[in-house]
C-alpha cells in the first residue's frame, strides 16, 4: 500500500495531474468516479491567495466526494508561501503540493515553478519551511531539472525527502524541453532506485495508454502514475488503466450514452459551481475529446462550443444521442 504521510492511496495509485483550467472540481469529481486515486487542483498562486484575489481563492473549492485531494500552490517568496499554506489549510485538503515544475515564462521569470530548479537550495528551504508550517502532508511536483546539462534529480529528491516532503511527482522532461520530445522515465527510476529514498516516487509524462502505465509500474518500478493530458475530456482513462492491470485486457471504450451523460454532468456541475456563463464557457474544451472519432460531428460540436446558454448545449447533447446513439467507438 502506497502512503503519502499517513494517507493510504492504493497499490499503484493513479493520480490526476494538476492542470490549469482543467483540474477543477467538476472534472476532478468525474476522474475520481472513474478510478483516480488522488486528484490535484490546478496550481494556485501564493501571491494571489494572500491578496485574496477572487480567482485564486475560488480554486480552493473542493468537494467531499473527490477526496483525497491535493491543493497545489506556487511561488518563490517564503513569507507568501507560508501565509498561503495557512489559507490552503483552512479549506481542508488532504495534501498540500508545491509546484516546482511549471515552465511558463511568467511563472519562471519570478523564480517560481520550474524557475526554482536554478536554485535548489531555495527549493529545499521553501519545502522545509512549508512542511514545518502545516500538519498536512506536503508533496512536491517537479521536472528532471532546468536543462539537460543540469539534471540532479536524484540528489534533489533526496534532499526534499530529508526535509519532510512526503511524496514526489516527477515529470520526465526538463524545463528547457517544455512539452517537446518524449518524457524520459529513466532518471525517475534512478530516483526510485536510490536506496536512501523511502517516500513514494510518482512518474509523470506521456502516460497515454494502459500499457504505458503498466510499463511505469513494472519496468521502471515507480510507485504510481500521474496522468495529465490523457484524461482531458476522457476521465475513463483511469478505469481503463485499472481494468488492464486487473485483467490484462482492454476495456471497451465508453458508449455514447456514457459520454453524453458525462458531458451533461460535467456541464451541470460547472454551472452549479461557477454559474451559467463561466460554467458554459469553461466546459467547452472538454467536448472535443468526449466525442472524438464521430464522423460528421462538426455541426454538433460547433453548437456545443459556441452556444452561450446552457439550454442550447444540453439540447446539442440530446441531438447527439438521438443521431449517434448507436455509434460504436473503437
Ligand atoms: C493544460 C495543462 C495545464 C497544466 N497545468 C499545470 C499546473 O497547474 N500545475 C502543474 O504542476 N502542472 C501543470 N501541467 C503539467 C501536467 O501536470 C503534467 O506534468 C504534464 O502535462 C505531463 O503529463 P502528461 O503527459 O500526462 O500530460 C499542465 C499541463 C497541461 C496540459
Amino acid at each position: 500500500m502506497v502512503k503519502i504521510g499517513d494517507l493510504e492511496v492504493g497499490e499503484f495509485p493513479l493520480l490526476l495531474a494538476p492542470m490549469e483550467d482543467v483540474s477543477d472540481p467538476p472534472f476532478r469529481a468525474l476522474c475520481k468516479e472513474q478510478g483516480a486515486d488522488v486528484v490535484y487542483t490546478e496550481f494556485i498562486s501564493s501571491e494571489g491567495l494572500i491578496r485574496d484575489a477572487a480567482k485564486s481563492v475560488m480554486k480552493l473549492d473542493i468537494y467531499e466526494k473527490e477526496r483525497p485531494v491535493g491543493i497545489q500552490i506556487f511561488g518563490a517568496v517564503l513569507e507568501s508561501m507560508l501565509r498561503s499554506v495557512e489559507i490552503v489549510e483552512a479549506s481542508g485538503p488532504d495534501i498540500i503540493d508545491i509546484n516546482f515544475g511549471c515552465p511558463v515564462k511568467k511563472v519562471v521569470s519570478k523564480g517560481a515553478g520550474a524557475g526554482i530548479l536554478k536554485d535548489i537550495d531555495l527549493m529545499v528551504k521553501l519545502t522545509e519551511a512549508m512542511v514545518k508550517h502545516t500538519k498536512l502532508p506536503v508533496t512536491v511536483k517537479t521536472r528532471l531539472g532546468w536543462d539537460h546539462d543540469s539534471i540532479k534529480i536524484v540528489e534533489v529528491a533526496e534532499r526534499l525527502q530529508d526535509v519532510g516532503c512526503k511524496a514526489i511527482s516527477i515529470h520526465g522532461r526538463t524545463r528547457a524541453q517544455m512539452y517537446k520530445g518524449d518524457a524520459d522515465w529513466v532518471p525517475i527510476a534512478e530516483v526510485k532506485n536510490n536506496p536512501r529514498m523511502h517516500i513514494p516516487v510518482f512518474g509523470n509524462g506521456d502516460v497515454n495508454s494502459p500499457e504505458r502505465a503498466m510499463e511505469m509500474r513494472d519496468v521502471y518500478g515507480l510507485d504510481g502514475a500521474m496522468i495529465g493530458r490523457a484524461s482531458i475530456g476522457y476521465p475513463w482513462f483511469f478505469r481503463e488503466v485499472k481494468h488492464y492491470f486487473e485483467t490484462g485486457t482492454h476495456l471497451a471504450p465508453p458508449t455514447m450514452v456514457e459520454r453524453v451523460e458525462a458531458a451533461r454532468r460535467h456541464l451541470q456541475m460547472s454551472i452549479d459551481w461557477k454559474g451559467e456563463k463561466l460554467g458554459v464557457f469553461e466546459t467547452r474544451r472538454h467536448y472535443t475529446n468526449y466525442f472524438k472519432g464521430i464522423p460528421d460531428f462538426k455541426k454538433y460540436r460547433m453548437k456545443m462550443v459556441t452556444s452561450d446558454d446552457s439550454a442550447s448545449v444540453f439540447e446539442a447533447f440530446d441531438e447527439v444521442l438521438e443521431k449517434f446513439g448507436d455509434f460504436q467507438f473503437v
Side-chain angles (χ1 to χ4, degrees):
M1 177 63 74
V2 173
K3 285 174 87 179
I4 300 175
D6 294 329
L7 195 67
E8 295 189 343
V9 291
E11 288 298 334
F12 179 80
L14 304 179
L15 302 92
L16 171 66
M19 285 184 285
E20 185 176 20
D21 294 336
V22 178
S23 305
D24 59 10
F27 183 62
R28 298 196 306 261
L30 289 172
C31 290
K32 169 82 186 185
E33 282 170 21
Q34 297 300 333
D37 296 290
V38 181
V39 298
Y40 284 93
T41 67
E42 64 180 290
F43 69 168
I44 308 176
S45 159
S46 55
E47 301 298 334
L49 279 181
I50 63 171
R51 281 168 187 70
D52 202 24
K55 215 171 149 207
S56 300
V57 173
M58 189 164 183
K59 293 175 185 169
L60 295 172
D61 292 348
I62 51 185
Y63 295 139
E64 277 311 304
K65 62 185 172 191
E66 54 174 297
R67 290 186 187 281
V69 55
I71 292 184
Q72 188 189 62
I73 52 178
F74 72 97
V77 178
L78 181 62
E79 295 71 34
S80 313
M81 290 297 263
L82 292 182
R83 178 72 195 103
S84 60
V85 163
E86 294 161 15
I87 298 168
V88 166
E89 216 174 34
S91 60
D94 303 282
I95 298 164
I96 297 182
D97 188 68
I98 320 174
N99 177 315
F100 288 144
C102 177
V104 304
K105 228 182 197 154
K106 70 171 194 259
V107 172
V108 167
S109 62
K110 297 197 177 90
I116 207 138
L117 289 165
K118 283 179 154 177
D119 187 349
I120 302 300
D121 287 342
L122 179 61
M123 182 180 187
V124 174
K125 188 176 141 195
L126 284 179
T127 306
E128 179 172 24
M130 289 169 71
V131 167
K132 284 186 175 150
H133 206 62
T134 176
K135 290 195 174 59
L136 290 171
V138 172
T139 61
V140 162
K141 177 165 180 279
T142 188
R143 289 184 171 231
L144 298 179
W146 177 257
D147 58 20
H148 188 262
D149 298 328
S150 62
I151 296 179
K152 285 182 280 196
I153 190 65
V154 174
E155 178 196 325
V156 170
E158 197 179 309
R159 289 182 66 189
L160 292 172
Q161 169 184 270
D162 289 350
V163 297
C165 171
K166 294 292 188 293
I168 182 164
S169 302
I170 304 169
H171 179 183
R173 289 186 175 85
T174 61
R175 191 274 167 173
Q177 278 178 289
M178 304 296 281
Y179 285 90
K180 291 192 290 283
D182 294 328
D184 183 2
W185 297 351
V186 173
I188 312 177
E190 287 168 5
V191 171
K192 174 66 194 165
N193 290 333
N194 173 0
R196 281 211 65 248
M197 231 29 212
H198 55 79
I199 59 170
V201 178
F202 302 128
N204 172 241
D206 303 347
V207 180
N208 50 21
S209 67
E211 286 86 346
R212 289 287 276 160
M214 189 174 263
E215 203 181 327
M216 192 169 254
R217 185 186 71 174
D218 297 346
V219 179
Y220 291 83
L222 303 182
D223 294 306
M226 179 176 268
I227 292 155
R229 289 166 294 179
S231 70
I232 301 181
Y234 202 79
W236 303 281
F237 188 73
F238 295 97
R239 79 172 186 199
E240 290 182 358
V241 171
K242 290 204 158 162
H243 180 88
Y244 188 74
F245 280 2
E246 280 159 23
T247 65
T249 62
H250 286 274
L251 191 67
T255 62
M256 183 59 91
V257 173
E258 282 180 285
R259 289 169 196 250
V260 169
E261 187 54 22
R264 266 199 200 117
R265 291 192 47 233
H266 197 153
L267 177 56
Q268 190 57 56
M269 285 192 280
S270 296
I271 293 169
D272 292 346
W273 180 51
K274 303 186 218 196
E276 167 89 8
K277 195 166 168 227
L278 270 182
V280 167
F281 181 73
E282 292 189 1
T283 315
R284 285 178 182 166
R285 65 171 63 84
H286 291 268
Y287 301 138
T288 304
N289 274 12
Y290 280 150
F291 300 110
K292 204 155 139 181
I294 307 170
D296 301 323
F297 193 72
K298 193 169 173 204
K299 178 178 135 193
Y300 302 92
R301 193 178 63 243
M302 289 312 286
K303 185 164 173 177
M304 288 175 199
V305 303
T306 56
S307 300
D308 289 329
D309 64 300
S310 63
S312 307
V313 184
F314 283 122
E315 191 180 81
F317 295 155
D318 291 339
E319 288 165 7
V320 166
L321 205 52
E322 192 164 309
K323 180 152 170 67
F324 301 103
D326 297 331
F327 184 77
Q328 295 293 316
F329 289 91
V330 282

